[in-house]
Amino acid sequence: MTLMATLKMVSDMDMIFINFSSSTTPHLILKQFDHYCKEEKTPRGLVLKPHKAGRWLTVFCDEINLPEADKYNTQVVITFLRQLTEQNGFWRSQDKQWISLERIQFVGACNPPTDAGRHPLSPRFLRHAPLILVDFPGPESLKQIYGTFNKGMLKRLSPDLRKYHTGLTEAMVSFYCQAQQQFTSDMQPHYIYSPRELTRWKLAIYGALEAIDTPEDLARIFVHEGLRLFEDRMVYQEEKDWIGETIDEIAIRCFPGINAEKALQRPIYCTSLFSQNYQSMQKDELKKHIQHKLKVFYEEELNVRLVVFDTVLDHVIRIDRVLKQPMGHLLLIGASGVGKTTLTKFVSWLQNLSIFQIKAGRNYSVYDFDEDLRIVMRRAGCGKERICFIFDESNVLSAAFLERMNALLAGGEVPGLFDGDDYNALI
């Protein structure tokens, strides 16, 4: 993020973003060249340069050490990048023409090779690039950063509670550091925490401040968002119990004088289903409201009846919370037939979102999937339509499908999806 922000500030430079995955190939980079560059015949031969004259094009390759090695222990896309860097060009496969690069450079970012799913990069490739280690800020730096945010948002939206900004910051950073030490990627590959969690935490509290009047309300929304960010990704019940106990202890310590029984009483339901404000709701009131909405949903949309019990309330609130976030996306895990898709459709209906779901049959191919992606992206981008794209596990017919979804979630676009006549028609 720091590197991208710095590069975007350079006046004569354009930047494109490529998110690598385990199955990324050189074809992905060539598609970006087709989209953002043009070929010119010169006395030196064919030259590939950016469309805009006099400007540089920076290709930002994120997660550059995710591609897997083949049976010869070669990461093909990394070898291709090394050729582009060493030789400043490549051989075009169609006609065996040598294409030279002009005003195109590459920047990469990755996690250490010790993290899950990562692979050591070839020394032959690394010798061309200076390496810069950017580590996470320490606890004191995090307190300074998020203390500034918390002080500003409490002063603006809840002046009566602004004296609690120090306690709120201490609670957030303290719990984040303890969870980071307690749960590591050695236990589960997805137990990876970064300051993004603190940013999401801060943004969620910011969205709820208009409905908060007391220190107990502030502590309650703090605990709720902490549970959603950390507890929801836990695998085992004892891990979830540790999260709940630890966050309660920290809340009592960092919010002295609050009525702990009132503030930390479970279950905690925070939602904006009732009003524009994101606020804590009572279980009975929420259940009655969900039952009423489900009755209308049965009649208007989907004739599939659900019994509203506590777990259903939990999932409805969690799905609703994520779908209302900017670029919100989530992964629902469970046995087939438990109602994951139905609940998602119900929450999307509550938020006036259109549903888009591909229909993968026997002859459904990657080309069909690309066309469906073009349709949904035109509707969202050109038509300004708010859409919930449901991608079921039964739709994953090949790794290429996941490759496209990974690019869409990471960078907001699928490289090469709109090219040639499709791109001109889109513009």
Side-chain angles (χ1 to χ4, degrees), residues 189-204:
H190 63 280
Y191 285 2
I192 300 174
Y193 299 100
S194 72
R196 289 192 184 102
E197 267 64 54
L198 292 173
T199 300
R200 295 187 183 105
W201 211 342
K202 175 258 301 181
L203 289 173

Side-chain angles (χ1 to χ4, degrees), residues 238-401:
E238 56 267 26
E239 297 173 341
K240 297 182 180 183
D241 294 340
W242 184 92
I243 292 287
E245 294 169 3
T246 304
I247 201 170
D248 283 355
E249 293 173 2
I250 291 175
I252 293 172
R253 187 181 78 239
C254 296
F255 295 94
I258 65 170
N259 184 340
E261 183 177 353
K262 175 184 176 183
L264 308 179
Q265 183 183 8
R266 302 293 199 275
I268 304 177
Y269 294 118
C270 293
T271 180
S272 57
L273 288 174
F274 286 74
S275 65
Q276 296 297 320
N277 294 326
Y278 187 67
Q279 57 189 348
S280 178
M281 304 298 302
Q282 295 298 319
K283 175 182 173 181
D284 293 339
E285 188 179 5
L286 178 63
K287 186 174 182 179
K288 184 178 179 181
H289 178 76
I290 295 296
Q291 286 175 331
H292 172 70
K293 291 294 185 180
L294 272 173
K295 184 179 179 181
V296 180
F297 180 66
Y298 300 146
E299 297 171 353
E300 293 185 359
E301 298 293 327
L302 198 64
N303 189 19
V304 178
R305 293 197 170 273
L306 293 174
V307 178
V308 182
F309 51 97
D310 290 353
T311 307
V312 170
L313 291 180
D314 290 341
H315 291 320
V316 167
I317 294 303
R318 292 170 186 177
I319 296 171
D320 176 73
R321 170 183 169 275
V322 174
L323 292 185
K324 284 185 176 176
Q325 295 173 352
M327 294 187 69
H329 53 273
L330 70 162
L331 178 66
L332 297 178
I333 303 172
S336 179
V338 297
K340 304 184 296 295
T341 302
T342 303
L343 282 178
T344 305
K345 289 181 177 179
F346 171 59
V347 176
S348 301
W349 174 78
L350 287 176
Q351 296 191 18
N352 295 319
L353 296 173
S354 302
I355 300 293
F356 187 89
Q357 194 170 8
I358 67 174
K359 298 177 182 178
R362 180 183 302 176
N363 298 321
Y364 194 85
S365 66
V366 173
Y367 302 103
D368 299 315
F369 185 56
D370 284 347
E371 184 56 37
D372 281 336
L373 286 178
R374 292 187 191 99
I375 291 172
V376 71
M377 292 179 75
R378 283 194 195 99
R379 287 171 57 184
C382 302
K384 304 297 182 183
E385 188 176 350
R386 300 174 66 243
I387 299 175
C388 175
F389 183 8
I390 299 177
F391 190 57
D392 190 80
E393 60 182 354
S394 62
N395 303 143
V396 186
L397 302 182
S398 74
F401 286 40

Side-chain angles (χ1 to χ4, degrees), residues 36-50:
Y36 291 97
C37 303
K38 60 182 179 181
E39 289 183 7
E40 288 186 0
K41 289 185 177 180
T42 69
R44 297 182 288 116
L46 289 175
V47 174
L48 189 72
K49 59 176 66 175

